[in-house]
Amino acid sequence: MTDEENGRDPHRGPSPGQTPREWFAGLLRAHIEERGGGSYEELVVATEQAHLRVAKSTLGDALSGKRTPRLETVQNLVTALHHRQGLPGRPELRDWERDYEHLLDLQSDRRTDTRSAADARAASEGRTWPRRFGPLPEPAHSFLARPALRVPPGPGRFLLTGAGGVGKTQTAAEHVRECLLAGDLDLVVWVTATTREDIVAGLAEAAAELTGSTGPNAELTAARLERWLAGTRRTWCVVLDDLARPQDLEGLWPPHSTNGVTLVTTRRQDAALQARGTVIDLTLFDAHESLAYLTSRLGTHHTPPEALANLADDLGHLPLALAQAATLLLDNEMSPAEYRTRLAREGARLADLVPDGALPDGYPLPVSATWALSVRRADELRPSGVAGPVVHVLSLLDGTGVPGELLATPALSALAPHPSEAAARDEVHDAVHNLRRLSLLSVDTTATAPRAAPDSGAGPVGALAGKAIRIHSLTQHATRDLLDPPERRAAAGSAAQALVEGWRAPQLPARLDRALRANAFALAGHAQDELLTPVPHPVLYRMGHSLGDSGQASAALRHFRRLREVVDARFAPDDEISLDTRGHLAWWLAKAGDPAGAARAYASLYADQDRLYPSDHPSLLQTRQSAAVWQGAAGDPHAAVTELKYLYELRISLGRAADRDTISNRNHLANFLSASGDHAGALALHEAAWREAEARLGPDHPDALRARSAAMHHRGELGDVASALAALRDLLEVQQIDNPEGLDTFATRARIADWTGREGDPAQAVALLGSLLVDRLRVIGPEHPHTLGTRMDLARWRTAAGEPARAATELTELLADEEELLGLDHPALPVTRAALTDALEKIRHR
């Protein structure tokens, strides 16, 4: 019988007056009739015979259209009917999965009855509602529902509190899954909330896609999600998982909304936090719940209930400890009595050692013995002896998501003692999956793996690329407790080196950069002493630069301030490590918007280095150069020229003309000569750089073309505009082939527009800048400083082209945006105000 004959046409959907659930129930009833029909009782018997039992009440709800069934229920019913007819193999379920997805889409559209720009964009890219951001944790084995601790249907804010391992995250995840399956939820945003930076990154990712707005300031992007959630008619749920510090959510709380639910899981019990929402306090299992859980996992055929109850008592009724123990019993075919004997032999009885109060991190110490048994079992599996070192490293990283790519680094491949690096990678891969088998970690298979590079040589570890290795914080804590000092140093060193190697990957995706950063901060929190002894590991600096480069310059500045405090407490002020740390801090002072402060910091650093280093030491000269550059950027280009000219001549006299630092010195000197009005001097320096690049690389090399463009800029300032434009157009021709949407390509287009206007064609400049603005908005977003600068230039040339009224309107809007995005003290604001004044003057004199 065809789909049309039995009424099963997923593309048609519900008929007029029919709800999506009724339509889907009709598909199920038609399929049952085609497969021989039967009463509810007969259908239940069929599922039991196929070992896929479906409750009678569940069948009734599904076939009447009263509730949306689980996909698993549909699959079990179809499979049971297939077996009842004696058909071979398994039934084809893909059509049913597509029908089920169609049902969820129909329910979502029925609730909202609207489509936003974000909806249209998502549909064009093949993404449909419901939408999910962040990985929803995998369901716990035999998850035990606890009716008294269920999350209310909402709307509202709910705080799931309690000690680690009591099931806060799983309770939140189960609530989300139930709402999704019932068709009551359009949007899920799942965010790890262990640090402010993690919260910002997670909310900003969702906000960027839902609002279409991105920018260099991740905090501002994240804050936009609150406004989107407050205004949408979609139903949503935001989960902030494992909130460590309530103050990390200041300014980022999801709104109160009739369409939304906010779930916060946290160990914190602060009164100020609890005032934010309804508190649901998750506690340990009681005796009945522990027995029910262990029975569901282990059964009672060979295990008396009394033995399970004694085991639960020994494990302190901690849900996660029960789950780990049950897995070990199943894998090892071990009895509860034998497990209890071994646990006692390790000298760690949970029932005796769980305190009344909270230990650090909220973890009861005796759980360590449980993890020790599981780790030892995994370490005995082939390849023997590798799982232990792997879990030692993972215990120091971000348990919510260690990127799979990290397992392919030489530092972690070295955890396997195989002489072949490829074979060692294989053994580490196998050890990860041995740990997964013992329920010590999970591998998130929902993430999309990046496209592999040709001839990458990736073995099994390559299968983990783009995925996340997740290990519960309780498992991590217990593992760390068991590390002796040499093991801890070795694990911290391997983890740190692996992170540095991960950051060296070419064309690093933003997703991987975020994951490496989160893992680096987790490592620093767990192994600060190890990372500082005997000297600070480079990962401590790399993680700070990653944070700043992601748009969180202020957070990077805070990181380097804390790092300097720690370094100063361990090393003498004149130690090279202390001096180097001060240099990193000065850089982020500048990038965070304080060039004058950076200039002072570099000058102070130079004064101290001058006492210690010879006058021609490269570090000393570079620090002096940095002080001059930021002094010029802070508004004193003449002083910068004086210093940079002295340094340049000194470097030449020392025979370092070809050194990278000398070339950088020359470029900075030329730029500040130009800023001071000496275009002839700037031209001479940049023409020398151009001739050198041309001789070394050839006249058509992109670097030679860039050098030529820099030189021709100064010729343009001296009146030869045609040469400036010709050089820029030649450069653009190459850039548009290599990377048409690169930042350098956009910058060249902006310079061409500017010189076109200065050549006497402001209307053409307006046309060029209008096209550039469209591209910059699309590629880098409205908040990026380059986009704001394009808006300023476009309005300025509109004024020159005879459109002062329109320019004034655009500049007024730009000024408001700059005040919000850049702050009232930013140097861009006076420039915009001057352009607005000029436009208004033009209007008055027309």
Side-chain angles (χ1 to χ4, degrees), residues 387-430:
V390 169
V391 81
H392 292 172
V393 169
L394 295 177
S395 75
L396 299 174
L397 296 172
D398 178 14
T400 66
V402 178
E405 291 88 343
L406 215 57
L407 273 298
T409 59
L412 293 196
S413 296
L415 297 176
H418 200 287
S420 163
E421 184 176 343
R425 284 201 304 269
D426 293 348
E427 292 187 350
V428 170
H429 170 272
D430 293 346

Side-chain angles (χ1 to χ4, degrees), residues 262-548:
T262 299
L263 301 181
V264 179
T265 71
T266 182
R267 296 188 294 270
R268 298 288 291 262
Q269 302 287 336
D270 306 62
L273 176 63
Q274 294 184 349
R276 292 278 194 168
T278 302
V279 175
I280 302 172
D281 187 18
L282 274 72
T283 59
L284 299 173
F285 282 162
D286 62 31
H288 298 293
E289 290 170 334
S290 292
L291 183 59
Y293 175 80
L294 289 174
T295 300
S296 68
R297 291 293 310 276
L298 303 174
T300 58
H301 183 63
H302 298 295
T303 307
E306 305 82 47
L308 296 180
N310 290 335
L311 175 61
D313 286 338
D314 281 357
L315 294 173
H317 302 279
L318 186 66
L320 194 58
L322 296 175
Q324 293 288 335
T327 299
L328 187 65
L329 292 176
L330 290 170
D331 280 354
N332 283 15
E333 299 182 352
M334 187 190 304
S335 71
E338 183 183 355
Y339 180 93
R340 294 180 64 214
T341 299
R342 292 177 64 176
L343 189 62
R345 193 164 58 237
E346 292 291 320
R349 289 182 54 84
L350 282 167
D352 296 335
L353 296 175
V354 174
D356 293 333
L359 291 173
D361 294 338
Y363 295 135
L365 178 63
V367 155
S368 299
T370 304
W371 312 140
L373 290 174
S374 296
V375 170
R376 288 174 189 171
R377 178 67 183 94
D379 214 32
E380 292 168 358
L381 300 175
R382 193 173 57 196
S384 177
V386 181
V390 169
V391 81
H392 292 172
V393 169
L394 295 177
S395 75
L396 299 174
L397 296 172
D398 178 14
T400 66
V402 178
E405 291 88 343
L406 215 57
L407 273 298
T409 59
L412 293 196
S413 296
L415 297 176
H418 200 287
S420 163
E421 184 176 343
R425 284 201 304 269
D426 293 348
E427 292 187 350
V428 170
H429 170 272
D430 293 346
V432 169
H433 283 282
N434 287 341
L435 292 165
R436 177 189 58 79
R437 288 170 58 191
L438 271 292
S439 297
L440 287 159
L441 56 79
S442 64
V443 178
D444 178 14
T445 59
T446 62
T448 301
R451 189 166 48 190
D455 302 321
S456 63
V461 172
L464 296 176
K467 299 184 175 112
I469 297 164
R470 308 190 189 284
I471 178 169
H472 196 282
S473 57
L474 185 59
T475 311
Q476 291 181 295
H477 188 281
T479 302
R480 291 193 299 270
D481 284 348
L482 297 174
L483 295 178
D484 60 32
E487 288 174 329
R488 195 179 187 91
R489 286 193 297 271
S494 295
Q497 187 58 32
L499 289 164
V500 170
E501 291 168 355
W503 261 308
R504 290 174 184 161
Q507 298 180 338
L508 190 72
R511 166 197 62 81
L512 183 53
D513 180 52
R514 286 194 302 271
L516 294 172
R517 187 166 66 248
N519 278 271
F521 275 96
L523 175 63
H526 296 313
Q528 178 174 281
D529 288 344
E530 287 76 13
L531 295 180
L532 287 167
T533 305
V535 296
H537 195 281
V539 75
L540 293 171
Y541 299 90
R542 186 64 184 83
M543 61 201 272
H545 289 293
S546 169
L547 185 62

Side-chain angles (χ1 to χ4, degrees), residues 733-777:
E733 183 177 347
V734 173
Q735 289 175 324
Q736 286 183 321
I737 294 173
D738 292 343
N739 188 7
E741 295 186 346
L743 296 183
D744 287 346
T745 307
F746 287 165
T748 301
R749 290 171 60 187
R751 289 195 290 270
I752 288 174
D754 184 62
W755 281 112
T756 298
R758 295 172 67 177
E759 191 181 32
D761 193 351
Q764 180 62 17
V766 167
L768 293 172
L769 288 167
S771 174
L772 175 60
L773 179 59
V774 170
D775 289 340
R776 275 182 162 162
L777 284 168

